[in-house]
Amino acid sequence: MALPHGKIFTVRPVVSWIDKLASQHGSPGAHHSPTFSSSSAPEPEKYQKRELALKTMQDSYTEVIYPFKSDKALLEEYINVAGTLRHGKIMEDLDALAGAIAYKHADDGKPNSMPLTIVTASVDRIDWLKPLDVCDLRLSGHVTYVGYSSMEIFMKMEEFSADKPGQHGDTILIARFTMVARDALTGKAAQVNPMLLKNDIEKKLFQMGDEQKSKKRAATDASLTKRPPTQEERFLIHDLFLEYSAYDDPQSKIKKPDNIQWMADTKMSAIHIMQPQDRNIHDKIFGGYLMRLAYELAFCNASVFVASRPIFLALDEISFRKPVPIGTFLALDSQIVYAEGGNHHSFQVMVKADVLDVSKNSRETTNTFWFTFRDPVKGTPRIMPRTYAESMLYLEGKRRRLIGSQMAGVSRRLSIPNIPNESSSS
């Protein structure tokens, strides 16, 4: 998406990788496309100080239309083996759209202003409200909350009819991302444009964003990596200990039921080379691509766990701790961490993403993803931890299951205003 003054609202690279390599090696044949966000630091004397401007929610509204019914080439990129649409591909598009919306809000309308670097800080929640069948779709979103350098992006995907473009069909998904702005020269937090709230609905949305920010801080403070389990959780861990100890005791006559699976037996792993085709405008691996890889491994693990094709329900909050450099290896480790069993159909799958840099002999965790799936046919097996570390994963999965159920209910009740703006369509 480009504006008349030449700024490009995209998180995709605007310089080819071969040109970048040639430029790094001093080749005179390398050429560059102008952009207001670049992985290389800008020269400060070429730019003016960025000025803040009041922006409305409508100012950042952007939508993308997917004409899957009429465009077979487009459908071919998104269709899966079952004849429905690939969730992982849509996740990539969500991240790209969130970045474009954030850049659009942060823009001050001046071509010579100091550029910003905007990155995905976290995916706060993605809820799938309806199966992702083949139909024409509209993906849209806008900024609903701003802090000093952060922006909350609300997005939704809905059924779309080309014959009735002004009408809105059933909502397929609702997503919330948090983006943060950095000064492209210093790397420090950069203030983004404040928001002008035009009516009570927009004020409520802004307030919800502020409340969500406070809840995230509280959840971080109460994390099991910082605080011990609650008294109720400690009782649960002890009950689980007594149960799995009885199954492990060779002198015990109690055998583990067939509907119980050891957590340790649900692991699945994959490793990927990070290639330049999957980079973003900052020459790091695109966050949406990481989400897709994690989702696809989680889906494989979930399918094996329930011995059928599971239904994807939600992606819980994740934070992007570290960027993933091109040329490194991404090690993904998946595990079923929580499933109550019995008549309960939903379960939690964790995927941990580590970056392996052989040149530095290092391995660092960049993300931990938490997915919720459901078995549409029968109740799931019950997951049983066997160690204290596994018990912590079990409790984390249980916490996310409870909070996720509440958040899914909010998503289903949430009525977001549609802000049509034909000039922002892409």
Side-chain angles (χ1 to χ4, degrees), residues 57-315:
M57 291 187 184
Q58 183 176 1
D59 289 335
S60 63
Y61 178 85
T62 308
E63 67 178 36
V64 180
I65 303 299
Y66 297 82
F68 286 124
K69 286 187 175 181
S70 59
D71 192 335
K72 288 188 177 181
L74 178 65
L75 178 60
E76 185 68 17
E77 295 181 22
Y78 285 80
I79 199 165
N80 62 27
V81 66
T84 56
L85 301 177
R86 296 172 59 186
H87 292 83
K89 287 282 291 181
I90 299 299
M91 289 182 190
E92 286 189 85
D93 293 350
L94 285 169
D95 194 39
L97 181 62
I101 290 170
Y103 273 121
K104 191 174 182 181
H105 176 85
D107 180 47
D108 65 356
K110 297 182 179 180
N112 296 322
S113 294
M114 177 62 72
L116 298 176
T117 295
I118 296 180
V119 297
T120 306
S122 65
V123 177
D124 300 323
R125 182 81 181 175
I126 303 176
D127 281 300
W128 244 267
L129 308 180
K130 188 177 180 181
L132 195 57
D133 297 324
V134 175
C135 62
D136 291 343
L137 297 170
R138 171 177 20 222
L139 179 60
S140 64
H142 56 86
V143 176
T144 56
Y145 172 81
V146 295
Y148 178 81
S149 62
S150 63
M151 294 163 279
E152 182 183 86
I153 315 296
F154 178 94
M155 294 170 287
K156 71 174 179 178
M157 176 171 276
E158 59 192 346
E159 295 175 351
F160 173 80
S161 174
D163 298 330
K164 302 176 181 178
Q167 296 186 11
H168 296 266
D170 290 346
T171 300
I172 305 297
L173 69 84
I174 286 178
R176 293 190 305 277
F177 282 51
T178 297
M179 317 297 289
V180 294
R182 297 284 184 264
D183 185 291
L185 181 63
T186 65
K188 296 181 179 180
Q191 187 174 2
V192 296
N193 291 321
M195 183 163 282
L196 175 64
L197 306 176
K198 300 172 65 176
N199 52 52
D200 290 341
I201 294 178
E202 293 185 357
K203 291 178 181 178
K204 180 62 176 176
L205 291 174
F206 191 89
Q207 181 184 352
M208 290 174 62
D210 195 32
E211 292 172 352
Q212 179 65 19
K213 190 174 182 179
S214 299
K215 290 179 180 179
K216 287 169 65 175
R217 288 173 180 162
T220 300
D221 292 340
S223 169
L224 289 168
T225 60
K226 294 184 177 181
R227 295 179 181 273
T230 65
Q231 183 175 3
E232 181 180 354
E233 289 172 335
R234 291 196 291 269
F235 287 149
L236 174 60
I237 291 173
H238 187 256
D239 290 341
L240 291 170
F241 165 74
L242 293 177
E243 184 175 359
Y244 70 68
S245 296
Y247 300 147
D248 277 342
D249 187 352
Q251 297 181 349
S252 173
K253 296 181 180 180
I254 302 175
K255 294 184 178 180
K256 180 176 71 66
D258 293 337
N259 66 337
I260 291 180
Q261 285 194 26
W262 297 119
M263 184 184 294
D265 294 337
T266 66
K267 294 180 179 180
M268 190 176 290
S269 301
I271 193 164
H272 302 268
I273 303 174
M274 297 294 96
Q275 302 286 9
Q277 290 79 11
D278 302 304
R279 74 191 187 280
N280 59 22
I281 198 170
H282 311 299
D283 288 332
K284 302 297 182 181
I285 295 300
F286 185 45
Y289 176 67
L290 301 178
M291 279 196 291
R292 176 166 73 82
L293 294 180
Y295 166 78
E296 290 175 351
L297 178 61
F299 178 84
C300 292
N301 202 349
S303 299
V304 172
F305 179 61
V306 298
S308 65
R309 187 179 183 85
I311 294 176
F312 176 50
L313 297 180
L315 170 61

